[in-house]
Amino acid sequence: MAATELLGLGFEFVEIFAFIVLATVGLAVIFGMMGIINLAHGEFILVGAYATTFAVAAGVPLALAIALGVLATTAFGLVLERFIIRRLYGRLLDSMVVTWGISIVVIQLVRIVFGNSAPGIGIPFGEVSAVDAPTYYFVLAVIAVSVLAGLYALFMWTDFGVRARATMQDEATARSMGVDTERMYTATFGIGSALAGLTGALYAPVLTVTPEYGSTFLVEAFVTVVVGGSSVLVGTILASGFLGSVNAAVTNVAGTFMGQVAMLVAAIVAIRLMPDGITGLLEDVRQKWGESE
Amino acid sequence: MTDRSLSRRDVLAGGAAGALTSIGGCVQNGGLLGIQSGADAPTVAILEDRSRDFALTGTAKYRTTKLAIEEINRDGGILGREVDVFAPDPQSDNMRYQDLTRHAIYKEDVDALWAGYSSATREAIRPLINDHEQLYFYTTQYEGGVCDKTVFPLGATARQQLGAVVPYLIEEYGDRIYTIAADYNFGQLSGDWVKLIADEHDAEVVGEEYIPLGETQFGSTINNIQASDADFVMSMLVGQNHSSFYEQRAASGLEIPIGSSTTMAQGYEHLRLDPPALSDMYVGVNYMEELPTDRNADFVERYYERWDDAEYLNQEAQNNYFSVYMYKEAVERAGTFDQDAVIAELESGIEIEAPEGDIRLDPKTHHMVHNMRVGHADENHELTFDEEQQIEPSFLQDVGCDLPNDPERTQYEPQDVYGGI
């Protein structure tokens, strides 16, 4: 009995962890690295979901349709960056208002063009009978971890990563060192868009796709980014792990509603104790250690 | 006549009807009516959502109301006069609903009002309706209990829908029920009804979960249902986030049958979701587009002819449609658009040949005695229906709601009548 309960709890954690990570990464890249508060994050996810859904409806295999969803969202993000977002770097509040507007426009445009609902896809791969759960959730978790690993490799180990981080930290110096900072901004925004598109595409079979689809992800994404703090990767991983555990444990005991409440309460407490998020605290600790040595 | 929408038909119809109504009017209203018909054209307001949260279900309601008015105008209008429509999009926003309702009542001076999808919307505008004693048709299936002199809640109530489907499932599958419902007024009250109806049939609710509207992850709910050893699940989940439950259920291999008052007939999940997400789903309904009758086939055909990009003709849309015709009948019997007179006619007992079948209004409660059926979706989402049965709006009858004699404005809850549940 205890074993099955433990399995259930483990599964719940996997399900919620994957959801939080995937909801957050695209936002974390765009907000954490570029200082753009992207209130249209949900609609980037929406674009990915719609492209995937309609590709599947047109007979494209799911894996390829997901790739198409990512491509479509990347293109969408790049166009927006080129014509609108580019003017908003360093203007935190302005970026909020503008992206909020974009979000409203996109939702209504999608409704006008595609109608009030999209055809369903169905969750692939059957079930894991030990926990009565879709196999697909474990696939999502594996992808979530791979995405984080891939991002880490990209930003820490490649030439591009160094240039991108230099641009975000000190644009003027980076430019004087010969970095094409405009291009770095565009590329980073493209990566953030692609990640959002991937999330939308991956969740298109799990969640019902309608014009309001993006809003499903927004709360988790923003809460996680704020709790995580300024460091994109470490913050996302730690905050997702923390919030996911709280949510899963309480959901398991007291149901989905209390799970959500507990997660948000945990977030409030975390922000009260760590105003700069988990990574801000880590940074403080590291500095204090440096001083004491 | 004003110059507003004066057409050849107006002149012809107006002339003929003016002659008739002035005779009828002389008898009924002291001869004033012949003069009244020269005033502004009769106007009805259709406030139904075509954007944002409720667009999926509201659009069809708008369209069938429009269709009914167009058909009526084509056939010579009501009392020989073409009916004008005031129909801005309230955009699923209750503040906007209040503004538009005020506008409809005070600026447009509408003769009848069709408005709103959710109970929250209805309750947001009901004070305005009451202030002005506005004739108001609310057509969504809802939790029930509104006993209000000028309000006609014509959708099936939770009592009627659950009263059709819960006993059916107890009979078919057994007496252990697990309830999952949206965590707000509608869901909570529907959960109470399940308990009550279960009680009446010696069944037992072995588990209950009320789920916030934003929730999309149902892993733990599915686990709890598995663990409860229930014979069937009653689901009053609501909205797009909740419909993810059905896909996740299918992928989890949860094979318990599910009964519902909210799926398929409103948001056409059986067409939107990929089979077998809704396999073994039973829903208590007064109408679905797929009802296999000739009268319905004709209605559905006219609907899609008029709106060729329409997605589905839902239960509420049918309610709008028949209620416009019911309104027409009442106005013609009253011989005037005067709202008190029309309400008196509606209360004198009225029957209508609706697409769902021949049904009648219960004068005391202002609710319909609906033809209820249990619709069943199989693993390919093919629908079948069991025998129809007429179900009275018995809750308000038990309360003692008697609007013709006691013009109150209350919403009752099951606890008020049946005690602690």
Side-chain angles (χ1 to χ4, degrees):
Chain A
M1 191 65 194
T4 53
E5 266 169 24
L6 215 60
L7 262 180
L9 181 65
F11 161 68
E12 228 129 84
F13 177 72
V14 166
E15 178 188 5
I16 293 168
F17 178 75
F19 184 77
I20 296 179
V21 168
L22 288 170
T24 310
V25 277
L27 186 75
V29 167
I30 290 174
F31 172 70
M33 298 196 62
M34 310 179 67
I36 294 282
I37 298 184
N38 183 18
L39 286 180
H41 178 60
E43 282 56 56
F44 282 65
I45 293 175
L46 175 71
V47 170
Y50 264 75
T52 305
T53 304
F54 281 98
V56 169
V60 177
L62 184 60
L64 191 59
I66 289 175
L68 284 176
V70 175
L71 272 181
T73 319
T74 313
F76 172 74
L78 290 177
V79 169
L80 275 185
E81 200 276 341
R82 176 77 184 73
F83 291 104
I84 302 173
I85 308 286
R86 177 166 291 191
R87 291 152 224 272
L88 301 169
Y89 291 124
R91 296 164 64 186
L92 205 64
L93 294 178
D94 300 354
S95 73
M96 251 172 96
V97 175
V98 172
T99 51
W100 185 48
I102 292 173
S103 141
I104 294 172
V105 170
V106 170
I107 292 175
Q108 194 58 23
L109 266 182
V110 165
R111 190 187 298 289
I112 291 168
V113 176
F114 298 106
N116 289 311
S117 69
I121 298 182
I123 305 176
F125 305 138
E127 75 201 87
V128 180
S129 49
V131 285
D132 292 316
T135 314
Y136 191 63
Y137 282 144
F138 295 94
V139 176
L140 288 177
V142 171
I143 294 175
V145 173
S146 324
V147 163
L148 291 173
L151 272 183
Y152 184 81
L154 178 68
F155 281 109
M156 301 307 283
W157 296 346
T158 67
D159 193 40
F160 166 81
V162 174
R163 284 160 188 267
R165 283 188 292 142
T167 306
M168 308 312 159
Q169 268 177 15
D170 187 342
E171 193 189 343
T173 311
R175 209 179 312 133
S176 70
M177 303 285 284
V179 176
D180 185 347
T181 53
E182 276 207 4
R183 201 147 157 217
M184 285 300 129
Y185 276 127
T186 308
T188 311
F189 197 84
I191 292 170
S193 312
L195 291 172
L198 178 69
T199 305
L202 287 172
Y203 276 93
V206 180
L207 308 175
T208 310
V209 179
T210 64
E212 279 88 20
Y213 180 80
S215 63
T216 312
F217 298 86
L218 222 52
V219 174
E220 269 84 352
F222 274 95
V223 167
T224 312
V225 165
V226 174
V227 171
S230 57
S231 166
V232 176
L233 282 171
V234 182
T236 304
I237 295 170
L238 292 179
S240 306
F242 168 61
L243 297 172
S245 322
V246 171
N247 189 333
V250 177
T251 296
N252 201 268
V253 177
T256 44
F257 176 67
M258 289 316 288
Q260 292 235 315
V261 170
M263 187 181 84
L264 294 177
V265 170
I268 293 169
V269 173
I271 296 166
R272 175 69 188 83
L273 297 178
M274 304 175 279
D276 296 322
I278 297 177
T279 53
L281 182 76
L282 290 180
E283 196 62 30
D284 279 356
V285 172
R286 207 192 305 165
Q287 274 182 4
K288 275 189 193 134
W289 273 41
E291 281 163 18
S292 66
E293 268 170 25
Chain B
M1 279 242 178
T2 63
D3 57 358
R4 190 172 173 186
S5 70
L6 187 72
S7 68
R8 190 162 44 93
R9 186 182 297 120
D10 270 327
V11 178
L12 284 175
L20 279 175
T21 47
S22 55
I23 299 167
C26 285
V27 178
Q28 287 192 348
N29 277 348
L32 276 174
L33 201 79
I35 301 163
Q36 274 179 0
S37 72
D40 272 2
T43 309
V44 300
I46 313 171
L47 305 182
E48 302 286 9
D49 307 307
R50 278 162 280 157
S51 53
R52 303 189 48 204
D53 291 4
F54 293 110
L56 182 85
T57 40
T59 307
K61 291 180 76 181
Y62 162 75
R63 288 176 162 180
T64 49
T65 325
K66 197 90 192 322
L67 174 68
I69 303 266
E70 285 172 3
E71 287 177 354
I72 287 170
N73 281 343
R74 207 177 305 132
D75 292 343
I78 303 179
L79 293 179
R81 298 170 60 192
E82 198 160 307
V83 178
D84 272 357
V85 170
F86 171 71
D89 178 4
Q91 301 172 3
S92 313
D93 176 343
N94 287 342
M95 294 280 279
R96 203 171 144 76
Y97 259 108
Q98 292 176 327
D99 291 344
L100 291 174
T101 303
R102 233 175 257 125
H103 186 97
I105 293 175
Y106 293 103
K107 294 267 169 54
E108 302 293 326
D109 195 20
V110 297
D111 297 289
L113 168 71
W114 278 260
Y117 192 78
S118 73
S119 289
T121 301
R122 182 196 68 236
E123 290 309 303
I125 62 173
R126 204 149 64 90
L128 300 169
I129 307 284
N130 287 340
D131 275 355
H132 198 73
E133 300 184 1
Q134 171 65 44
L135 169 58
Y136 168 44
F137 295 96
Y138 174 68
T139 60
T140 310
Q141 66 104 358
Y142 83 116
E143 68 275 12
V146 171
C147 176
D148 188 318
K149 180 67 181 172
T150 62
V151 179
F152 287 79
L154 302 180
T157 61
R159 172 73 154 165
Q160 287 172 307
Q161 298 203 280
L162 297 170
V165 71
V166 174
Y168 183 90
L169 288 174
I170 292 172
E171 178 92 0
E172 289 279 312
Y173 293 103
D175 55 11
R176 293 172 60 83
I177 307 172
Y178 195 99
T179 295
I180 51 177
D183 194 9
Y184 72 109
N185 209 15
F186 169 80
Q188 301 273 2
L189 290 178
S190 296
D192 288 348
W193 281 117
V194 170
K195 267 187 276 190
L196 252 164
I197 295 168
D199 227 34
E200 289 168 6
H201 292 80
D202 295 323
E204 181 193 2
V205 175
V206 296
E208 269 185 311
E209 251 177 83
Y210 294 95
I211 297 165
L213 283 170
E215 186 58 51
T216 54
Q217 312 285 327
F218 291 92
S220 88
T221 305
I222 289 169
N223 274 338
N224 294 341
I225 295 172
Q226 293 281 34
S228 73
D229 198 27
D231 293 315
F232 64 94
V233 172
M234 278 310 300
S235 155
M236 279 72 67
L237 298 176
V238 169
Q240 60 127 341
N241 290 329
H242 281 179
S243 56
S244 306
F245 167 79
Y246 301 109
E247 292 181 341
Q248 295 174 21
R249 164 185 92 120
S252 307
L254 179 68
E255 277 167 5
I256 303 174
I258 298 192
S260 176
S261 63
T262 50
T263 47
M264 301 203 283
Q266 299 169 73
Y268 51 100
E269 286 83 354
H270 57 301
L271 301 182
R272 286 165 48 214
L273 305 186
D274 207 28
L278 292 192
S279 69
D280 249 351
M281 169 73 81
Y282 294 83
V283 61
V285 290
N286 63 299
Y287 178 81
M288 283 183 79
E289 180 187 288
E290 291 86 353
L291 277 187
T293 65
D294 290 346
R295 187 191 290 173
N296 182 44
D298 174 54
F299 171 51
V300 172
E301 195 186 317
R302 274 181 287 131
Y303 177 73
Y304 283 103
E305 220 165 78
R306 173 64 182 86
W307 308 100
D308 54 7
D309 63 333
E311 287 156 330
Y312 190 71
L313 205 182
N314 62 20
Q315 178 176 247
E316 280 63 36
Q318 190 250 187
N319 297 344
N320 279 52
Y321 183 81
F322 82 68
S323 54
V324 172
Y325 274 96
M326 204 169 74
Y327 170 70
K328 172 178 188 277
E329 165 102 24
V331 171
E332 283 176 346
R333 274 166 38 176
T336 167
F337 287 91
D338 178 78
Q339 299 188 28
D340 290 340
V342 173
I343 289 172
E345 274 312 321
L346 288 166
E347 281 177 349
S348 75
I350 195 159
E351 285 175 34
I352 190 85
E353 292 179 4
E356 71 175 81
D358 293 350
I359 47 176
R360 67 188 163 80
L361 182 83
D362 176 47
K364 288 186 172 176
T365 63
H366 288 190
H367 283 59
M368 296 304 291
V369 181
H370 272 296
N371 277 337
M372 302 304 300
R373 300 168 172 86
V374 176
H376 171 240
D378 68 8
E379 69 275 10
N380 301 316
H381 293 187
E382 296 287 337
L383 293 187
T384 46
F385 297 91
D386 81 323
E387 284 296 297
E388 68 205 52
Q389 48 176 329
Q390 292 223 318
I391 299 188
E392 299 267 342
S394 56
F395 170 37
L396 282 180
Q397 292 172 346
D398 292 351
V399 172
C401 176
D402 184 2
L403 289 166
N405 296 314
D406 178 13
E408 57 178 319
R409 294 161 173 179
T410 321
Q411 178 168 17
Y412 291 96
E413 298 192 358
Q415 292 95 316
D416 299 341
V417 187
Y418 305 101
I421 298 161

